[in-house]
Structure formats: structure tokens, C-alpha cells
Amino acid sequence: MTQNRILSHMLAGIVRDYGEPVMIWQAGTLLGTLLVAWLLARLVRRKLDSHRRARHESVRFGAESLHKALFPLLGGLLVWAVQTALDDYMSTSLLELALVPLIGIALIYIVFFLARRVFGRSGQAHAWLSITEKAVSVMVWVGMGITVLGIQDEVLRWMESVRFRVGTAHMTLLSLTTGLMWVCATVIFALWLGSVYEDRVMRAHSIDANLRVALSRLGRALLVLAAVLTSFSLVGIDITVLGVFGGALGVGLGFGLQKIASNYVSGFIILLDRSLRLGDTINVSGLQGSVTEIRTRYTMVRGLDGIETLIPNEKLITDVVQNHSSYLTRGYAKAAVQIAYTSDLERAMALLVEAAQGVERVLDDPAPAAYLAGFGADGINLELGFWIEEAAKGTAGTRSTVNVNIWRLFKENGIAIPYTRRDIRLVGGLPAALGGAVEIGHAQTIGEVQAEGADAQAGLGVDPGTGTARDVATGA
């Protein structure tokens, strides 16, 4: 009996028309309609390609699915129009059967387009994107199979017969499935609208960058909220029950979720008061880097070593934040060096200035300057100060180049860089532990023997004057 009902639908029409002239007419009409649809899809695709080249990667990523949906969508519409027009004059079983895969495949690619715009913002696949595409593909293909077999009414009646309770509400498998589908569809559609809205807002260069980010985040949140409320209404859930949920959420925010709520509120404050901007170089709690992204919960900072750190927005509100980009992007650097007292001081200071000239990213205005920082125990302390352009990119390489130039110029011009020297005085004879050092196989001077004794005493780790430093002085 079930087989008869199945064959009485689409498959029965195909079996009836098979071998008849009307089947040839339907096949010719279907091929001609699909050829027209293919030409139209190709024309529309060219129009979209010219517009797509000016868009960013995430839009191009989603547009690929939209292009794939053009042919089955246009083909389905044209086949439906032709089938409707010829239905009164001839059998259209083949056209009716062709509508199922055309509309189904078009629906799959349209959902892919919406999902990739929502979950593929950076032009790369997301975990939720893969789950959504697989779930939609399975549901659509199952639906197409049920439609071709003509058992959709039996399946719906069976789903309606499966009843259960959720709390005090009586539900069926059909109502639950329909509700979930409506919720998913409305939320994905709202996220897609939010994505389009965010693209438009972010391209409005007349608006401040922080304000654009705040408006896009707020717009997407409102659209998602409206989608959830709308889907609940369509399913039949009373929205007034959300009042209880809102009260519970308020209690949760007061206890366990207060940090999360504080970060979200702090994020909107940062975006609205424009205290930080994208690209600013900041220093917070010893971490220095460039602000690459300001989210509603955290701010992403890329350090000078290239490592990205997520900083909770609350920390940027409550802690002291140094902004190095508020009025300039250059940074001040110093190179310290010591020269011998016998060296030419004025010549050394001139060589310091010369060492910083011509180095990449070292600014000529303000010009590098050399300073006499002080007089040390072993030599004269000099300091070279210079400004580096775009210090947020790092200063270590530039300072290294300047130090190499200093070493080279000092070596070429005879400027000596002193090193620490110590004079050790031995009082009395050598300790017994060093007695073996005097018995040597070749002639040595008294000064050499004393030097060996001094080195050995230094290895003992005792200071000659205080008993706490490296060298030792022994008394008689």
C-alpha cells in the first residue's frame, strides 16, 4: 500500500510518461530552460565579480557560495515558471521532479553564503561554519529524498504523534524541530544582517574609528536580540517568561559574572570615550605593544616581539596605561659607552654623533646628540641620545647598528674603551696551599710568582680588604 502511495506521486508520473513523446518534449524544454539559466547565471556572475574585486577577503569568501547558487536558483525559478505555464497543456512530471534538486541545491548554497559571511569574517573557515554546512546539507538532502518519494505527509504525521513534556509545556517532535529551525534561521539571518551592517559602518571613514567599532558591535547585538525574540514568538513561546530569566541573569551578574560584565562595559567605554585607538602603542603593567583589535570583552595588543596578548578591558580602565602614540610615534633611545682618560674627549663625542647618522629609522630632527654623563673609576662615561622613527616596530636592531658603528669608529680613530683593572698587594708570605707553586722547573721572577699567588688567592673567593669580595690578602 505504501509502495502504491509512493508511486502515485512524482515517480509514478515519470514511469507513466516514460517512452511517450511527451517525455521528449519535457526533456527538450528542461534542457533549454537550464541553458538559459546557465547563461543568465554567467552574466550575473560577471557583474558580481567586477564588484567583488573591490571588497575585502571575507566578502569574497562568502561570495563564492552565492555564485554557485546562481545557476540552480535561476534554473529552479525558470523551470517552475515553465512548468506552471505548460501544466494545463501537457504532463510535466519531469519538470516537477527537476524542481526538487534545483531548489534544494540552491538552498544549500544560499545557507552556505550566509554562514560564511557570519562565521568566516577573516576569510578563513570557522568550526561553526563546518558544523552548519554539514547539518544543512544533511537536512536538505533528506528533505529532497522525502519529497521525491512523496512520503512527506506520513513523516509529518509521525513527528506530530511523538509527544513529550518540557516542564509544564506539552510539545511534539514536529513543534520542537520547527522551533529549532526557526531559531537557527532567524539568528543566522540576523548575524548576516549584522555583518552587512558592520561592513557598511566600517567603510564610513567620516566617522571616528572607535565609534565605528562601537556602532557595529551594538548593531549586531541588537539584531541578534531581535532575532531571538522574533523566533520565540514564531515558535509560540511566551516572551514574558524571559522576565524570570532576566532576574536570574541579574543575580548571576552580581556574583559569578561580574568580571565578564565589567569587561563588556569597559569595552564600550573604551570605544566611546576614544581613550585608545587601533594602532596605538601602549604600555600596561609592563607590557608594551600596538593595539590591533578592540573587542567588547578584551583588547588585543601585539608586543614588540610579535606575540599577541589579550588584555581584559577592565584592566585598561582601572590600571595606569601609557599611550605612546597619542601625539607621536617616535621613540627616544640611548647608547652608553666609556672611554679612557687618555683619549681625545671632543673627538670621541663627535664620533658618537657620526655613529648615529645615516642609520635607518634614526631621525635627523631632532639630531643625535652626545653627552658627558660622568667620570667613572676606569674612564669617562659618555652617552649618545637619538630618536627612532616608529619605535613600536622595535628599537633593538637600530640600537645594535649604532653600537656597531661606535665600535668601528672608535677603533679606526684610536679611541680606547677601558676595562676594569685591579692591583693586588700581598702582605707577608704565601699561604701553605700555594707552597707548591714556588717549586717550578724553570726560572721565574719574584713578580711572576706573586702574580700566580694572586690568581690562586682570587680563586679562593675572599676579598683582600674585607674578606667578602673575590681577592685575598694574607697577613704574617
Side-chain angles (χ1 to χ4, degrees):
M1 185 176 180
T2 303
Q3 184 178 4
N4 293 334
R5 285 200 303 268
I6 293 175
L7 292 178
S8 64
H9 198 60
M10 293 184 180
L11 296 181
I14 295 295
V15 173
R16 183 185 65 247
D17 296 337
Y18 181 75
E20 299 293 333
V22 69
M23 180 62 71
I24 300 177
W25 285 103
Q26 291 185 72
T29 304
L30 179 60
L31 292 177
T33 305
L34 294 180
L35 178 60
V36 174
W38 180 78
L39 293 175
L40 289 176
R42 187 176 181 181
L43 179 62
V44 175
R45 190 179 295 113
R46 288 181 178 178
K47 296 284 187 180
L48 294 178
D49 283 339
S50 60
H51 178 66
R52 189 182 62 173
R53 294 189 184 97
R55 310 296 295 278
H56 50 79
E57 185 63 29
S58 64
V59 177
R60 295 196 294 268
F61 182 60
E64 295 176 0
S65 296
L66 182 61
H67 286 179
K68 293 179 180 179
L70 286 176
F71 171 66
L73 180 60
L74 293 175
L77 293 176
L78 292 178
V79 170
W80 173 79
V82 172
Q83 188 260 340
T84 303
L86 298 178
D87 193 35
D88 295 335
Y89 303 100
M90 57 182 290
S91 176
T92 57
S93 59
L94 182 60
L95 299 178
E96 184 180 1
L97 180 63
L99 279 175
V100 177
L102 289 174
I103 299 300
I105 295 174
L107 178 62
I108 290 176
Y109 282 122
I110 289 175
V111 174
F112 283 7
F113 165 70
L114 298 178
R116 293 188 178 197
R117 289 295 307 275
V118 172
F119 302 117
R121 298 294 302 151
S122 62
Q124 299 177 353
H126 192 274
W128 283 105
L129 174 62
S130 177
I131 295 174
T132 303
E133 291 183 349
K134 291 179 180 179
V136 170
S137 299
V138 170
M139 289 190 297
V140 173
W141 280 106
V142 170
M144 287 191 294
I146 292 175
T147 303
V148 170
L149 295 176
I151 59 175
Q152 63 270 24
D153 294 336
E154 286 79 0
V155 173
L156 293 178
R157 281 195 294 268
W158 173 78
M159 296 178 66
E160 185 68 27
S161 64
V162 179
R163 299 178 181 273
F164 51 90
R165 297 181 60 181
V166 178
T168 58
H170 295 272
M171 301 187 66
T172 64
L173 182 59
L174 178 62
S175 62
L176 178 62
T177 305
T178 305
L180 292 176
M181 291 178 62
W182 273 112
V183 170
C184 293
T186 52
V187 169
I188 291 179
F189 184 71
L191 290 175
W192 173 71
L193 285 180
S195 176
V196 175
Y197 167 77
E198 182 177 357
D199 291 339
R200 296 294 180 89
V201 172
M202 295 304 292
R203 290 201 303 268
H205 298 291
S206 58
I207 305 176
D208 181 76
N210 281 17
L211 185 58
R212 293 200 300 266
V213 175
L215 290 176
S216 62
R217 299 286 189 273
L218 182 61
R220 295 191 69 179
L222 292 177
L223 286 172
V224 172
L225 178 61
V228 172
L229 297 179
T230 303
S231 60
F232 283 170
S233 300
L234 293 173
V235 175
I237 299 178
D238 189 4
I239 301 180
T240 57
V241 300
L242 296 179
V244 179
F245 174 75
L249 181 61
V251 175
L253 291 176
F255 291 96
L257 302 179
Q258 57 180 344
K259 286 292 184 182
I260 298 177
S262 176
N263 287 325
Y264 274 96
V265 174
S266 300
F268 278 103
I269 292 176
I270 292 173
L271 292 172
L272 293 176
D273 67 5
R274 306 177 188 178
S275 56
L276 293 179
R277 301 171 183 270
L278 297 178
D280 284 358
T281 300
I282 64 173
N283 190 323
V284 52
S285 299
L287 174 64
Q288 183 175 356
S290 176
V291 177
T292 59
E293 190 173 3
I294 302 177
R295 310 281 298 184
T296 50
R297 187 180 64 85
Y298 61 85
T299 296
M300 186 176 294
V301 177
R302 181 180 290 113
L304 301 181
D305 54 1
I307 300 176
E308 290 188 339
T309 305
L310 305 182
I311 301 178
N313 289 327
E314 181 188 16
K315 194 174 186 64
L316 298 176
I317 295 293
T318 57
D319 289 5
V320 177
V321 179
Q322 296 178 342
N323 192 339
H324 299 273
S325 304
S326 57
Y327 65 96
L328 49 82
T329 59
R330 63 192 183 187
Y332 186 75
K334 295 182 294 184
V337 66
Q338 191 177 68
I339 64 173
Y341 280 102
T342 57
S343 299
D344 187 347
L345 176 61
E346 295 182 354
R347 179 58 179 167
M349 296 181 68
L351 292 176
L352 286 179
V353 175
E354 182 181 348
Q357 293 175 348
V359 177
E360 185 179 3
R361 293 174 54 201
V362 174
L363 297 177
D364 295 330
D365 186 18
Y371 306 95
L372 196 157
F375 300 95
D378 302 306
I380 303 175
N381 297 322
L382 301 182
E383 185 177 279
L384 172 65
F386 53 94
W387 290 88
I388 300 178
E389 184 181 10
E390 297 181 357
K393 294 182 178 180
T395 61
T398 304
R399 288 187 287 109
S400 174
T401 303
V402 172
N403 285 329
V404 170
N405 291 342
I406 293 175
W407 172 263
R408 177 178 54 81
L409 291 174
F410 278 14
K411 188 176 181 180
E412 294 174 354
N413 292 270
I415 304 297
I417 299 179
Y419 52 89
T420 303
R421 300 181 61 181
R422 289 190 178 93
D423 295 330
I424 301 175
R425 181 173 61 90
L426 296 177
V427 180
L430 296 174
L434 303 177
V438 182
E439 299 177 1
I440 53 179
H442 53 78
Q444 290 182 315
T445 63
I446 298 298
E448 290 174 337
V449 173
Q450 290 181 343
E452 290 183 4
D455 291 340
Q457 293 176 33
L460 297 177
V462 184
D463 185 83
T466 63
T468 59
R470 295 180 56 236
D471 304 321
V472 175
T474 58

